[in-house]
Amino acid sequence: MKKYRSHSAAFKRQVAEEFIAGETLHALAQRHDISRQLIRIWVGKFEAGALDSDVQAADLLQEYEAKIAALERMVGRQALEIELLKGL
């Protein structure tokens, strides 16, 4: 059974730009081991500007994950301080 791959928005944009620049569907599909139909879908999304919103969403997600990690570290430090103060 085949496993499904997920591609980054940057990769999708790169493939779409290569196609628009004149690369053939067949050559792109073989080089990147993806279907020609998938390339057509990505090109359509690229031309509609949808891949840009995917990049913005990915950046926002990365920013939120960094904030969550910082808050988790802060909570951990505070939990240690509470335990230390309870022991005194």
Side-chain angles (χ1 to χ4, degrees):
M1 193 166 158
K2 264 189 174 177
K3 289 188 176 186
Y4 293 95
R5 297 179 292 178
S6 63
H7 301 283
S8 69
F11 176 74
K12 294 174 185 179
R13 194 171 44 255
Q14 173 196 348
V15 171
E17 287 171 347
E18 288 175 5
F19 175 75
I20 292 171
E23 189 80 30
T24 65
L25 278 175
H26 183 73
L28 283 171
Q30 279 190 331
R31 182 168 3 117
H32 297 294
D33 192 28
I34 53 179
S35 73
R36 290 178 289 197
Q37 182 59 31
L38 187 56
I39 295 171
R40 288 185 191 106
I41 291 169
W42 291 351
V43 169
K45 286 184 176 183
F46 178 76
E47 290 174 340
L51 291 181
D52 292 333
S53 63
D54 286 347
V55 170
Q56 290 173 352
D59 290 344
L60 187 60
L61 180 63
Q62 189 176 25
E63 180 182 331
Y64 286 159
E65 287 174 346
K67 285 182 181 179
I68 289 169
L71 291 171
E72 287 174 341
R73 285 191 300 272
M74 185 185 303
V75 167
R77 272 186 257 133
Q78 289 178 346
L80 285 174
E81 288 176 10
I82 290 171
E83 290 300 318
L84 178 69
L85 292 174
K86 281 183 180 179
L88 294 176

